[in-house]
């Protein structure tokens, strides 16, 4: 379970003070499939990174499975991300000099897993996203949709229970985007992973069990649309 | 896959640029290796010359009744015992003694003239006195053969092959010593034992010229050992131009090492610059690594490992360049051919170690900066 309590994240730009998040509170249950929507600049990415332990809030706290993640040391928080969180980005963020398989191996490598296990598990993850046959390809030899699948595989290979996706379909055409969305849906259905994704697309938001709408750093709508 | 594999894969895709950025370092290492190589080869070279540069220790009887100047020393009537010379092989630095040339001085009647006579071992003497130019065959020990100085040759109207009477014995002139501008030009040289017989001084010698070579021990020490070992003699060290030359080589080496350290500072600045820009270019990648759970230790690991690789490659390339350039420049500048054996064994591993350490030091600050990167803004930057 993820509990966000009164989180404010403010930036000072010269004279001006911007609150990317303004007193936000939110609870995400284990196994939730949640969409975050809202106009550009409303704080969606900020919310996602704050949940993922990547962005220390100005006020408030974030509690994941009972531990206050911003009370941890930065080393412990890195470990928390390694073991519990998978990030998926709009721009994929694969390392261009590594093959698909090697990209998926990175989180396992960071966790110090044995080389043979790394390869075995990374290949399993690639098969899960339907890319078993493309394991030895470099990112520039893969289509956008395939690259995003590799990124999804990288996000789930460490058996993270939380998958955070920041506009995962933003750089993909409609059809490929839909494929990625149904892949995420499948992972949630089959493995019960908690998935939170940011989207601009109303049809993508419809797939979610819960939709959170943001404006100006505040959560303005909370819709529960399961069944 | 390990962190190191990752670094190697990353470096291998920008080999060219990395090497380009390491040029300062490579040059510094090259200068260091070349300096070590050239100066050590010059030292060996000078060492070889020392051996033939002339005597650097003169052994004379302790009690002198000064009568004849000979070279640097005054030679008297008193003598020392030839059989005492075996003690020379028992001194501590015996292996540093390369050449021993015992001599007996006297006067003899040659064709009715009273002339200076020197009994010697011609081979050793010629070896020590590199400036001697001899025509003909050197006199052989125990034979009635003579070598004559140039002045006396022409004064007596002799030539090689002539027969000459010395103290009533017949000698064949086998060799002529070309003009030296010293007493030698007026001297008759006979084999040592023949001269002893002729002068009625069997087993006696006037002085011994010794060529000793030692780069770590001063000749003074060897001279002292000789004085202690043989009764009633004094061994005197003779200062050599060679020592001055060794000093000059050392000074030149110090200067070029100083030059190398200046280049090294520039090289380090280059590496620092490379690392800073590497960190900057890879902000996004670092952000991704952080989001995947990399901690500061990991960031240090990958950048410092990259520094080690840069240092190793720079060290190896620099050493190769240093060896190559000293082999090309040695013969041109110093007219000494430089061979692989001239490279001091320690210099290459030492230079590579210096290179690695320099890269590590130059990378500390850029790496620290990398750990301070905010992953979120790194990932947001387009
Ligand atoms: N590092 C930053 N410095 C200053 N302002 C920032 C920074 N990051 C985000 N912001 C501001 O915070 C607000 C929310 O940003 P973000 O969470 O990226 O919005 P969204 O993802 O909904 O488009 C925006 O106004 C943005 O300009
Ligand atoms: Mg955003």
């Amino acid at each position: 379970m993820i509990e966000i309590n009164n989180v404010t994240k403010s930036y000072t730009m010269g004279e001006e003070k911007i609150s990317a998040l303004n007193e936000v509170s939110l609870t995400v249950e284990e196994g939730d499939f949640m969409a975050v929507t809202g106009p550009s600049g409303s704080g969606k990415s900020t919310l996602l990174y704050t949940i993922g332990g990547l962005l220390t809030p100005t006020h408030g706290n974030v509690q994941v499975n009972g531990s206050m993640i911003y009370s941890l040391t930065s080393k412990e928080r890195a470990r928390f991300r390694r073991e519990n969180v998978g990030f998926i980005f709009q721009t994929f963020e694969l390392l261009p000099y590594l093959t698909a398989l090697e990209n998926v191996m990175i989180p396992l490598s960071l966790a110090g897993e044995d080389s043979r296990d790394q390869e075995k598990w990374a290949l399993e993850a690639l098969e899960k996203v339907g890319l078993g046959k493309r394991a030895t390809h470099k990112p520039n030899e893969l289509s956008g949709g395939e690259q995003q699948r590799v990124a999804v595989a990288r996000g789930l290979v460490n058996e993270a229970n939380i998958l955070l996706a920041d506009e995962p379909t933003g750089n993909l055409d409609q059809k490929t985007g839909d494929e990625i969305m149904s892949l995420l849906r499948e992972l949630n259905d089959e493995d019960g992973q908690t998935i939170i994704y940011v989207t601009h697309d109303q049809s993508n938001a419809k797939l979610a069990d819960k939709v959170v709408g943001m404006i100006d750093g505040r959560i303005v709508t909370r819709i529960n649309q399961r069944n | 896959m390990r962190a190191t594999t990752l670094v190697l894969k990353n470096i291998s895709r920008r080999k060219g640029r990395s090497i380009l950025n390491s040029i300062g370092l490579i040059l510094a290492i090259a200068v260091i290796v070349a300096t070590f190589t050239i100066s050590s080869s010059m030292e060996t070279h000078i060492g070889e010359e020392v051996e033939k540069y002339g005597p650097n220790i003169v052994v004379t009887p302790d009690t002198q009744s000064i009568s004849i100047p000979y070279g640097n020393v005054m030679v008297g009537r008193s003598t020392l015992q030839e059989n005492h010379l075996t003690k020379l092989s028992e001194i501590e630095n015996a292996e540093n003694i390369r050449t021993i040339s015992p001599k007996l001085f006297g006067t003899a009647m040659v064709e009715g003239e009273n002339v200076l006579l020197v009994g010697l071992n011609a081979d050793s003497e010629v070896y020590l006195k590199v400036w001697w130019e001899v025509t003909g065959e050197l006199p052989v020990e125990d034979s009635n053969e003579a070598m004559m100085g140039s002045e006396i040759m022409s004064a007596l109207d002799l030539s090689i092959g002539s027969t000459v009477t010395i103290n009533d014995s017949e000698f064949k002139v086998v060799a002529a010593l070309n003009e030296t501008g010293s007493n030698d030009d007026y001297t008759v040289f006979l084999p040592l034992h023949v001269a002893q017989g002729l002068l009625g001084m069997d087993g006696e010698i006037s002085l011994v010229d010794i060529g000793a070579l030692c780069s770590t021990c001063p000749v003074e020490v060897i001279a002292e050992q000789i004085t202690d070992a043989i009764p009633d003699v004094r061994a005197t060290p003779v200062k050599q131009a060679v020592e001055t030359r060794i000093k000059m080589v050392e000074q030149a080496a110090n200067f070029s090492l100083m030059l190398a350290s200046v280049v090294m500072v520039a090289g380090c600045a280059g590496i620092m610059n490379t690392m800073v820009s590497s960190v900057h270019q890879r902000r996004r990648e670092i952000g991704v690594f952080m989001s995947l759970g990399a901690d500061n230790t990991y960031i240090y690991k990958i950048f410092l490992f990259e520094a080690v690789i840069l240092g190793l490659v720079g060290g190896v390339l620099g050493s190769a360049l240093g060896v190559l350039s000293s082999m090309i420049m040695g013969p041109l500048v110093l007219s000494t051919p430089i061979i692989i054996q001239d490279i001091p064994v320690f210099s290459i591993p030492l230079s590579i170690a210096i290179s690695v350490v320099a890269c590590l030091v130059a990378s500390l600050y850029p790496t620290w900066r990398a750990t301070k990167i905010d992953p979120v803004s790194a990932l947001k930057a387009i």
Side-chain angles (χ1 to χ4, degrees):
Chain A
M1 195 166 75
I2 304 163
E3 286 170 276
I4 299 148
N5 303 311
N6 269 322
V7 166
T8 297
K9 177 71 189 179
S10 24
Y11 294 103
T12 35
M13 300 280 280
E15 300 279 287
E16 225 180 330
K17 193 170 150 205
I18 300 166
S19 287
L21 292 180
N22 200 344
E23 308 256 319
V24 169
S25 292
L26 177 70
T27 300
V28 185
E29 302 287 345
E30 209 164 318
D32 270 355
F33 192 62
M34 178 185 279
V36 181
T37 61
S40 185
S42 57
K44 306 182 294 295
S45 297
T46 306
L47 178 68
L48 213 65
Y49 292 130
T50 308
I51 293 171
L54 220 47
L55 195 63
T56 310
T58 316
H59 298 293
N61 64 65
V62 178
Q63 210 169 329
V64 178
N65 299 332
S67 86
M68 303 269 243
I69 58 173
Y70 292 102
S71 304
L72 301 173
T73 63
S74 84
K75 198 178 181 70
E76 289 166 338
R77 199 154 52 248
R79 187 192 174 91
F80 158 79
R81 288 196 296 273
R82 206 155 64 219
E83 293 177 350
N84 300 286
V85 184
F87 281 100
I88 294 160
F89 306 97
Q90 182 176 352
T91 42
F92 323 135
E93 306 301 343
L94 301 178
L95 302 195
Y97 53 91
L98 297 183
T99 64
L101 187 70
E102 288 163 344
N103 266 289
V104 178
M105 279 155 76
I106 295 172
L108 300 171
S109 169
L110 287 172
E113 299 291 355
D114 164 285
S115 275
R116 239 183 303 129
D117 289 340
Q118 285 184 31
E119 212 169 308
K120 183 167 155 257
W121 294 335
L123 197 60
E124 281 172 12
L126 277 176
E127 276 159 3
K128 195 164 197 162
V129 300
L131 275 183
K133 292 214 166 59
R134 313 286 265 165
T136 59
H137 288 254
K138 294 263 173 77
N140 62 5
E141 299 159 353
L142 299 172
S143 72
E146 287 171 330
Q147 288 185 53
Q148 196 60 301
R149 282 170 189 270
V150 175
V152 172
R154 182 177 67 185
L156 57 85
V157 71
N158 54 353
E159 303 190 303
N161 38 34
I162 304 166
L163 217 51
L164 303 172
D166 195 357
E167 304 192 36
T169 64
N171 272 22
L172 302 174
D173 59 54
Q174 188 66 47
K175 182 169 164 285
T176 321
D178 290 348
E179 281 166 17
I180 293 294
M181 282 317 300
S182 43
L183 174 63
L184 294 181
R185 180 81 253 193
E186 237 172 75
L187 291 173
N188 174 260
D189 286 342
E190 288 170 15
D191 302 338
Q193 241 144 359
T194 308
I195 299 182
I196 307 172
Y197 62 97
V198 172
T199 187
H200 279 307
D201 188 312
Q202 281 312 307
S203 65
N204 284 346
K206 287 213 179 73
L207 294 170
D209 302 329
K210 295 176 179 172
V211 182
V212 166
M214 296 189 69
I215 291 175
D216 280 345
R218 293 173 190 279
I219 295 179
V220 289
T221 54
R222 297 164 195 260
I223 302 166
N224 196 332
Q225 56 190 15
R226 200 190 297 244
N227 300 327
Chain B
M1 190 170 62
R2 287 142 54 86
T4 49
T5 323
L6 215 88
V7 172
L8 290 176
K9 280 177 189 282
N10 183 23
I11 292 180
S12 71
R13 78 185 165 136
R14 47 193 178 99
K15 287 193 250 345
R17 193 160 12 112
S18 304
I19 289 174
L20 216 62
N21 287 329
S22 314
I23 277 183
L25 177 78
I26 292 173
L27 286 181
I29 297 300
V31 173
I32 293 174
V33 169
T35 304
F36 280 138
T37 305
I38 291 178
S39 65
S40 105
S41 125
M42 281 173 78
E43 263 165 37
T44 347
H45 225 71
I46 290 171
E48 283 161 7
E49 274 175 37
V50 169
E51 230 173 308
K52 306 203 308 178
Y53 221 72
N56 48 9
I57 297 173
V58 180
V59 183
T60 52
D62 199 13
T63 48
Q64 280 284 24
S65 57
I66 297 165
S67 57
I68 315 164
Y70 184 81
N72 295 329
V73 285
M74 304 299 281
V75 180
R77 297 243 182 280
S78 43
T79 57
L80 55 103
Q81 293 303 305
E82 190 182 353
N83 57 12
H84 283 169
L85 296 186
T86 51
K87 295 214 167 66
L88 286 175
S89 60
E90 293 161 15
I91 68 165
E92 197 185 327
N93 285 85
E95 78 272 16
N96 296 109
I97 295 179
R98 300 300 172 91
T99 316
I100 301 172
S101 183
K103 282 182 281 281
L104 177 65
F105 297 92
T107 51
M109 294 300 288
V110 180
E111 304 286 328
E113 301 275 346
N114 200 5
V115 299
L116 193 59
L117 177 78
V118 174
L120 46 60
N121 177 319
D123 291 313
S124 326
E125 189 69 5
V126 166
Y127 185 74
L128 271 182
K129 297 195 168 163
V130 273
W131 58 89
W132 272 17
E133 286 171 26
V134 177
T135 336
E137 301 283 325
L138 292 176
V140 179
E141 186 55 71
D142 293 329
S143 70
N144 274 25
E145 295 177 341
M147 175 169 75
M148 318 276 275
S150 60
E151 291 295 330
I152 200 168
M153 283 278 273
S154 54
L156 298 176
D157 201 19
L158 296 169
S159 60
I160 291 175
S162 310
T163 308
V164 66
T165 312
I166 304 172
N167 280 7
D168 303 330
S169 300
E170 293 247 307
F171 282 82
K172 191 182 170 199
V173 180
V174 291
L177 172 62
N178 297 355
E179 194 175 338
T180 62
S182 70
N183 283 354
D184 294 338
D185 295 348
Y186 302 91
T187 306
V188 175
F189 301 91
L190 298 181
L192 179 61
H193 294 150
V194 176
Q196 286 170 338
L198 208 65
L199 297 171
M201 300 172 79
D202 280 337
E204 294 181 56
I205 46 181
S206 309
L207 69 75
V208 189
D209 277 323
I210 288 177
L213 170 66
C214 185
S215 46
T216 53
C217 50
V219 284
E220 283 82 358
V221 172
I222 300 180
E224 220 166 275
Q225 290 172 357
I226 293 172
T227 307
D228 291 346
I230 304 178
D232 303 326
V233 306
R234 182 166 52 216
T236 316
V238 181
K239 283 280 175 206
Q240 292 284 313
V242 171
E243 289 176 19
T244 329
R245 290 189 53 195
I246 289 179
K247 278 229 175 63
M248 273 170 58
V249 172
E250 279 169 3
Q251 279 169 359
N254 285 345
F255 175 74
S256 64
L257 286 179
M258 232 168 65
L259 188 77
S261 30
V262 173
V263 183
M264 196 71 188
V265 171
C268 279
I271 293 293
M272 178 115 92
N273 185 48
T274 308
M275 293 305 279
V276 167
S277 71
S278 167
V279 165
H280 189 78
Q281 279 165 14
R282 293 166 65 192
R283 275 172 63 81
R284 215 180 168 85
E285 184 179 329
I286 294 164
V288 173
F289 270 109
M290 286 175 166
S291 78
L292 296 176
D295 53 19
N296 289 352
T297 315
Y298 188 84
I299 308 286
Y300 271 106
K301 204 152 77 177
I302 58 175
F303 281 100
L304 295 186
F305 183 67
E306 182 170 329
V308 169
I309 299 290
L310 281 180
L312 283 176
V313 172
V316 169
L317 290 180
S319 300
L321 186 66
V323 169
L324 207 71
S325 57
S326 52
M327 280 181 168
I328 293 169
M329 273 163 47
L332 289 180
V333 180
L334 309 161
S335 60
T336 23
I338 292 191
I339 49 169
I340 298 288
Q341 279 83 347
D342 285 335
I343 304 164
V345 198
F346 68 89
S347 72
I348 289 180
L350 178 70
S351 305
I352 294 176
I354 289 174
S355 171
V356 169
V357 170
C359 281
L360 280 175
V361 170
S363 302
L364 282 177
Y365 169 71
T367 307
W368 175 80
R369 283 256 304 255
T371 64
K372 296 297 165 210
I373 284 175
D374 167 27
V376 173
S377 42
L379 283 163
K380 275 186 179 168
I382 302 157

